[in-house]
Amino acid sequence: MIKDTRLILALDVTDRHQALKISQDVKGYVDAIKIGYPLVLATGKDIIGEIAEMVPVIADFKVADIPNTDRLICEQVFSAGANALIVHGFTGSDSLKTCVEVAEVHGADIYVVTEMSHPGALDFMQKVAEDMAQLASNAKVAGVVAPATRPERVQKIRSIIGNDIAIISPGVGVQGGSAADAIKAGADWVIVGRSIYLADDPKKAAMEIAKEIKDAIDQ
Ligand code: XMP
């Protein structure tokens, strides 16, 4: 993934026309667009390729199954045109290895969830987040997903994975996280959904967050 604005749009709209319009509008201001179940279930998997023609697509399906089923899912997602896929790590090293193998065949990337950005992540996920980060690092994935809502956890996860793999960080804006703080804590990219796609002018909103990120880096 190119590292330019260091901003990823989470495009959780359910209308095909709106999704394509926003993708066109923010092109050049985001490095990737993350799409998931809301958009794909509403419009069909062809939307993956349609958006990927404009901006690289990260498919957020949080894949979590046995290796054979993971393989079947990965093949569908990458054949549809996704450049990257988010998967869970708790299913273990064999499931993750399968996802990485299929991604390699397609020249695509895998990102592994560590600790999610919402409060409920403290119930179970935080206890194993550091193990997930280590697992992801061992599997040589492209990166992990870590919470912008807890910059200190981004920093901790960075200390575990080192600088060889990336951190993409959701939770900015509506969930309360700050793009600047996440970047300063060690995130390579921040992921922003509602603060951009619900804005009156999504392009302007994306530009403002990209500027906040640039200012944080330049400090
Ligand atoms: P908002 O609207 O809150 O959207 O900016 C955030 C987007 O990111 C997803 N999300 C996560 N994905 N690990 C993930 O893999 C996480 O910890 C996480 N937290 C939020 C969310 O589904 C939405 O698309």
Side-chain angles (χ1 to χ4, degrees):
M1 185 157 53
I2 62 148
K3 203 169 176 181
D4 180 15
T5 63
R6 299 176 65 165
L7 176 60
I8 296 167
L9 167 64
L11 190 52
D12 295 323
V13 300
T14 53
D15 178 81
R16 181 177 171 278
H17 177 75
Q18 188 191 12
L20 295 174
K21 166 93 172 64
I22 294 175
S23 299
Q24 187 61 48
D25 284 352
V26 301
K27 185 178 169 182
Y29 301 99
V30 302
D31 288 342
I33 293 180
K34 182 179 85 65
I35 64 174
Y37 295 110
L39 181 59
V40 175
L41 291 178
T43 66
K45 75 175 168 130
D46 288 350
I47 194 79
I48 297 173
E50 288 182 88
I51 293 176
E53 279 177 22
M54 293 183 262
V55 181
V57 166
I58 301 174
D60 183 0
F61 293 134
K62 296 192 178 68
V63 180
D65 217 308
I66 61 169
N68 185 59
T69 308
D70 277 359
R71 179 177 57 78
L72 294 168
I73 295 168
C74 288
E75 281 168 358
Q76 289 297 321
V77 172
F78 295 132
S79 298
N83 305 85
L85 173 64
I86 295 176
V87 307
H88 273 299
F90 65 76
T91 43
S93 57
D94 55 349
S95 294
L96 182 55
K97 181 166 174 276
T98 301
C99 295
V100 171
E101 284 169 0
V102 180
E104 274 172 9
V105 169
H106 290 267
D109 290 330
I110 295 291
Y111 290 89
V112 177
V113 178
T114 58
E115 175 182 320
M116 292 182 72
S117 55
H118 63 314
L122 303 184
D123 293 344
F124 301 107
M125 298 193 80
Q126 192 174 74
K127 298 177 186 65
V128 293
E130 292 165 35
D131 292 335
M132 295 301 115
Q134 190 60 61
L135 178 80
S137 178
N138 294 346
K140 297 188 169 37
V141 296
V144 297
V145 193
T149 45
R150 290 176 222 103
E152 74 285 0
R153 297 295 293 160
V154 173
Q155 208 168 8
K156 177 70 191 173
I157 286 163
R158 172 60 73 200
S159 76
I160 293 166
I161 63 176
N163 291 321
D164 289 344
I165 66 171
I167 296 178
I168 59 176
S169 191
V172 168
V174 176
Q175 291 187 66
S178 133
D181 289 350
I183 292 288
K184 282 192 248 173
D188 294 279
W189 285 273
V190 295
I191 300 171
V192 184
R194 286 164 287 181
S195 297
I196 296 178
Y197 69 74
L198 292 181
D200 289 339
D201 185 345
K203 176 174 162 178
K204 183 162 167 271
M207 286 170 71
E208 285 170 1
I209 298 168
K211 179 167 185 319
E212 179 190 337
I213 294 169
K214 186 170 182 316
D215 289 346
I217 296 164
D218 290 344
Q219 259 178 22

